Amino acid sequence: MIDKFVASVEAALEGIGDGAAIMVGGFGAVGQPNALVDALAARNLRGLTLIANNAGGDFGGMPKLIERGAIARVICSYPRASRRTAFDELYEAGKIELELVPQGTLAERIRAANAGIPAFFTPTSAGTELAAGKETRRINGRDCVLEYAIEADFALIEAWAADRWGNLTFRRAGRNFNQIMAGAAKVTVASVHRRVELGALDPDRIVTPGVFVDRVVLVPEPMEGEAT
């Protein structure tokens, strides 16, 4: 019987070691798998590559992961936060690398890996510092920059509900990067707020089929008034 649910957050993170490339879903504080990231930070890993929309920000579990020196490289579209964070200090000291990617390009590079597309051309960033050292071609009268798909060893994502096959549904803006990251990693781990019986999910509402998901862990949504 296929049952992709695991008993704990720790079990969901099995196999993640030093030097791994890890995608973390979320857009700002929405849809970020904080329980998974918090547990990852507790492992005292080193040399990780973090692929996410932001470089930890000032919310959720990623600042802790960066503060503890686990991250060697960040690939993101938004490295700054409303206040100075550990990322700023480490970057200025040359202790963490940054690959800055325009947000739409970041999403498309992840989606390309999901779809099995190794690279693509985009006009975004043409003629800017972000295009330095990259192949540029004139296509339909516009300069376009070659960008490569981004793959990862693990994707840590958050969804709203799942059945035991790993079929996922999302709620409102919680879909964001989570959906495309699910198929762009060797191992996808999903934290979900609801576990439902097989067949309970409307097939038309399943955004991420279970074939893209390896492990699922139940992290109930905090009740109103509880800490998030």
Side-chain angles (χ1 to χ4, degrees):
M1 182 180 72
I2 297 175
D3 188 347
K4 296 184 179 180
F5 275 85
V6 295
S8 66
V9 170
E10 290 71 23
L13 299 177
E14 182 181 351
I16 300 181
D18 292 345
I22 301 174
M23 291 181 175
V24 177
F27 187 88
V30 178
Q32 189 169 287
N34 290 325
L36 294 175
V37 177
D38 286 344
L40 190 65
R43 292 192 167 194
N44 296 316
L45 298 174
R46 291 293 181 269
L48 301 179
T49 294
L50 172 66
I51 304 154
N53 182 56
N54 60 80
D58 52 4
F59 45 76
M62 283 201 287
K64 186 185 302 181
L65 193 63
I66 292 173
E67 286 170 7
R68 295 187 175 182
I71 307 300
R73 182 170 181 243
V74 175
I75 303 173
C76 74
S77 68
Y78 193 76
R80 303 305 303 276
S82 59
R83 61 177 177 81
R84 283 184 64 83
T85 65
F87 172 81
D88 295 278
E89 297 173 5
L90 291 171
Y91 181 70
E92 291 170 3
K95 296 181 179 180
I96 192 168
E97 296 180 25
L98 170 65
E99 181 180 346
L100 188 63
V101 185
Q103 193 170 81
T105 303
L106 177 65
E108 188 63 8
R109 289 178 67 185
I110 296 170
R111 191 200 68 81
N114 188 311
I117 298 170
F120 59 90
F121 281 94
T122 174
T124 303
S125 83
T128 73
E129 292 182 11
L130 295 181
K134 297 180 180 179
E135 181 181 346
T136 300
R137 291 188 186 181
R138 193 79 172 170
I139 301 175
N140 294 330
R142 302 182 71 183
D143 287 336
C144 295
V145 178
L146 180 65
E147 298 284 359
Y148 289 91
I150 300 176
E151 298 178 303
D153 298 307
F154 292 85
L156 308 184
I157 67 173
E158 182 184 76
W160 180 250
D163 59 28
R164 63 179 175 84
W165 282 1
N167 295 311
L168 305 180
T169 63
F170 298 86
R171 187 168 182 259
R172 298 175 181 170
R175 181 184 302 189
N176 55 68
F177 282 83
N178 288 300
Q179 174 191 357
I180 55 175
M181 286 181 173
K186 297 174 184 176
V187 177
T188 295
V189 180
S191 66
V192 300
H193 297 309
R194 302 283 188 274
R195 174 173 179 158
V196 301
E197 293 300 318
L198 198 62
L201 297 177
D202 181 348
D204 288 333
R205 296 189 63 193
I206 294 174
V207 175
T208 300
V211 68
F212 294 114
V213 180
D214 299 282
R215 303 170 196 158
V216 184
V217 61
L218 182 64
V219 180
E221 186 182 38
M223 299 296 289
E224 186 174 351
E226 291 183 352
T228 57

